[in-house]
Amino acid sequence: MLIGTNITDWATVDGAYYAGQGTEGIWLGLSVLLCIVALWAGSRHENAAYKKAG
């Protein structure tokens, strides 16, 4: 059985097949979360460097 479908044999597939269908929202959410974490960490680092510099 292929991931996310009830297709049991490639011979029954007539057209293009996309295994990730339905999970785009999860990957988008993870990407957004990673961007937010990177911005937060960068902001903390910049604030610490600014305070240290005087």
Side-chain angles (χ1 to χ4, degrees):
M1 187 167 190
L2 300 173
I3 298 171
T5 184
N6 57 1
I7 297 172
T8 57
D9 184 14
W10 279 112
T12 61
V13 179
D14 293 334
Y17 179 74
Y18 176 54
Q21 185 175 3
T23 61
E24 295 91 351
I26 294 170
W27 291 112
L28 176 63
L30 286 173
S31 299
V32 169
L33 181 64
L34 265 174
C35 288
I36 291 171
V37 168
L39 288 170
W40 174 75
S43 176
R44 284 192 58 188
H45 180 269
E46 288 296 315
N47 284 336
Y50 181 75
K51 288 178 183 175
K52 186 177 179 181

